[in-house]
Amino acid sequence: MSMNLVVLLYLVASIFFIQALKGLSHPTTSIKGNTFGMVGMAIAVFTTVALIFNLSKTPTQGLAYVLVGLVVGGGIGAIMAKRVEMTKMPELVAFMHSMIGLSAVCIAVAAVAEPAAFGIVAAKGMEIPKGNRLELFLGAAIGAITFSGSVIAFGKLSGKYKFRLFQGAPVTFSGQHAVNAAMGAAIVGLGLYFMFTGNWTAFMILLALSFVIGVLIIIPIGGADMPVVVSMLNSYSGWAAAGIGFSLNNPMLIIAGSLVGSSGAILSYIMCKAMNRSFISVILGGFGGEAATTGGAKEQRPVKSGSADDAAFMLSNADTVVIVPGYGLAVARAQHATKELAQKLIAKGITVKYAIHPVAGRMPGHMNVLLAEAEVPYDQVHEMEDINADFSQTDVVLVLGANDVVNPLALEKGSPIYGMPILEAYKARTIIVNKRSMAAGYAGLDNELFYMDKTMMVFGDAKGVVEHMLKAVE
């Protein structure tokens, strides 16, 4: 295969990736977007295999390694994707990010050790050009940060490990930011030293420091901020791939990495805006501790509680209903029952809509994916900006497992979540909130919505409660 054909096929694959991103921008075109992405990746893999066969002096041996890697890696990926539960999707995304980062590190180390094998230099023993050393330094450092940071994010998202760094509560210590700054400066300094001298020891030390700082910038971030972390690490993984692509003179890696990096950065900005966070602070891992947990005993306040039958009566006699899904809905796997309830209400002539907050759940778009799995019609699902104006004319809002994203404390100055845009459920005429208990959300704050006179709490597992409501709706 000629190099001209290789470049052309990589360009075609890149076009497919661009179309994939365009398709994934809306639920109605997401299947088409996924198809574009899979076809683009298949073209890229086929082209790379053909390129290895052309360039390798022992193509049979080289292809054998590649094919084994494809079969093993592809098999593991297929099994994981097939078995993953919807509530575990954020952990799967974090795991995939970590693998991309580790891949970038491994390629960078191999390229520094044997640059001739990657076509960086013409023959063994030749010195790597300074520009390539800069690219390898950046790709390896970002990849290492992505890997270790994603491992910590995986543990925090999972919530089932006793190891302190994997728990949702922020981990902070005195002088944390100063340590991070010093370590960051050391990484840059060692990277520049490696660029000018090609010193192997400097490269390995900066790599080790990058693994450490990846941990340090994620541990102070609490569970409430995990959606931003997921999108941030997504961006990091893309830039790591792009940096390695420049070193290997591989246009496919450059374009694909840049697409992932830039789209992840845009998503991070959107998430920060949705949570009233500083984008720069997110990049530097400088937030999370202040707005996290509030420990200590809390004052017992009276709430109005009712049964699923009471909630069903209210819903049946409403003209307009807005359903607000949250992580509790995902944990209970109640999305299908909720769709059936909505359909039954619609059959009675009641207008039903779903309200989605950008950071509901544990990753960007978590609730959108959840409802899509239940085949909820896309025209019933509305984003926060589009539906907030409707709450004041809504008869009943049904909050299922959501907490911080509907907390009116975000409107009060001095509150840890002050300024965070919320779904304005408190404006509705009647509010029904389903939770297992009065436990606080990820932000560790009481929710003033629960104590309002027009709010009725219905305690219990979301699936059981919704199924009971479904039977009780006349």
Side-chain angles (χ1 to χ4, degrees):
M1 181 181 292
S2 68
M3 286 305 300
N4 288 337
L5 182 56
V6 168
V7 173
L8 177 61
L9 288 174
Y10 277 152
L11 180 60
V12 171
S14 300
I15 294 172
F16 273 91
F17 288 147
I18 294 170
Q19 290 299 313
L21 283 178
K22 182 180 179 182
L24 291 171
S25 64
H26 195 274
T28 57
T29 57
S30 60
I31 295 177
K32 185 185 295 183
N34 269 319
T35 302
F36 273 119
M38 289 187 290
V39 173
M41 184 55 69
I43 294 172
V45 170
F46 168 78
T47 305
T48 303
V49 170
L51 184 61
I52 293 171
F53 188 83
N54 282 359
L55 297 179
S56 178
K57 294 179 181 178
T58 56
T60 304
Q61 182 181 6
L63 280 177
Y65 290 134
V66 172
L67 291 175
V68 169
L70 286 174
V71 171
V72 174
I76 293 173
I79 293 172
M80 291 177 65
K82 183 72 174 177
R83 292 181 177 178
V84 66
E85 298 176 7
M86 189 55 60
T87 53
K88 302 298 181 183
M89 191 65 73
E91 291 101 292
L92 178 64
V93 172
F95 174 79
M96 296 303 180
H97 291 162
S98 71
M99 292 297 99
I100 295 172
L102 186 60
S103 297
V105 171
C106 291
I107 294 172
V109 171
V112 172
E114 292 289 344
F118 291 85
I120 298 175
V121 296
K124 188 173 183 179
M126 293 183 64
E127 188 176 277
I128 304 174
K130 289 185 176 64
N132 290 108
R133 287 201 291 258
L134 175 62
E135 295 154 3
L136 288 168
F137 142 56
L138 291 174
I142 298 173
I145 292 170
T146 303
F147 172 73
S148 56
S150 296
V151 170
I152 298 299
F154 173 88
K156 284 178 173 284
L157 288 167
S158 177
K160 63 181 181 180
Y161 299 104
K162 295 183 179 180
F163 184 48
R164 179 66 181 92
L165 299 185
F166 285 168
Q167 294 177 9
V171 177
T172 59
F173 55 86
S174 179
Q176 192 166 25
H177 294 305
V179 171
N180 289 351
M183 198 167 292
I187 291 170
V188 173
L190 288 166
L192 293 175
Y193 181 72
F194 167 72
M195 182 184 75
F196 287 109
T197 66
N199 186 278
W200 176 262
T201 302
F203 179 77
M204 296 306 292
I205 294 174
L206 77 86
L207 203 56
L209 291 177
S210 297
F211 280 120
V212 174
I213 201 172
V215 173
L216 294 180
I217 64 175
I218 302 300
I219 59 174
I221 302 176
D225 300 315
M226 276 299 114
V228 186
V229 174
V230 171
S231 59
M232 176 185 69
L233 292 170
N234 177 56
S235 180
Y236 285 179
S237 67
W239 297 126
I244 297 300
F246 278 108
S247 299
L248 304 183
N249 195 28
N250 188 315
M252 182 68 265
L253 271 178
I254 296 170
I255 296 172
S258 298
L259 287 172
V260 174
S262 57
S263 60
I266 293 170
L267 182 59
S268 296
Y269 175 77
I270 293 172
M271 292 296 103
C272 289
K273 187 177 179 182
M275 297 184 71
N276 193 36
R277 300 294 193 184
S278 165
F279 182 65
I280 300 301
S281 293
V282 174
I283 295 174
L284 299 178
F287 74 99
E290 296 80 9
T293 57
T294 58
K298 295 180 180 178
E299 178 187 357
Q300 295 296 320
R301 301 166 62 185
V303 295
K304 184 192 301 181
S305 62
S307 66
D309 290 324
D310 297 328
F313 178 79
M314 293 178 182
L315 292 170
S316 298
N317 288 277
D319 290 324
T320 54
V321 172
V322 173
I323 300 173
V324 180
Y327 188 67
L329 178 77
V331 172
R333 299 186 62 80
Q335 61 269 32
H336 297 281
T338 301
K339 180 201 172 184
E340 291 180 32
L341 175 63
Q343 287 178 321
K344 199 167 185 178
L345 294 174
I346 292 171
K348 292 171 62 66
I350 301 170
T351 300
V352 178
K353 299 178 181 179
Y354 295 82
I356 304 295
H357 192 284
V359 296
R362 289 193 172 187
M363 73 174 184
H366 198 177
M367 294 301 107
N368 299 78
V369 175
L370 194 77
L371 297 181
E373 184 195 33
E375 298 183 350
V376 171
Y378 298 131
D379 59 356
Q380 295 177 15
V381 181
H382 301 270
E383 300 295 333
M384 177 178 66
E385 293 82 1
D386 300 324
I387 202 169
N388 264 348
D390 295 347
F391 279 112
S392 58
Q393 286 83 44
T394 300
D395 292 323
V396 179
V397 168
L398 177 59
V399 180
L400 296 171
N403 200 326
D404 298 323
V405 297
V406 293
N407 194 342
L409 275 178
L411 306 175
E412 297 184 12
K413 289 186 177 180
S415 164
I417 59 171
Y418 173 67
M420 171 182 166
I422 60 170
L423 289 166
E424 297 173 352
Y426 66 92
K427 291 184 177 180
R429 296 183 181 94
T430 302
I431 304 135
I432 301 171
V433 179
N434 165 239
K435 280 175 60 69
R436 292 183 178 180
S437 68
M438 290 296 293
Y442 293 131
L445 303 172
D446 260 346
N447 191 333
E448 293 303 309
L449 182 73
F450 302 163
Y451 303 99
M452 296 176 70
D453 291 336
K454 57 184 177 180
T455 299
M456 182 180 77
M457 303 295 297
V458 181
F459 296 106
D461 175 80
K463 186 176 182 180
V465 169
V466 173
E467 287 177 345
H468 194 140
M469 281 192 259
L470 182 59
K471 294 177 181 177
V473 169
E474 297 178 358

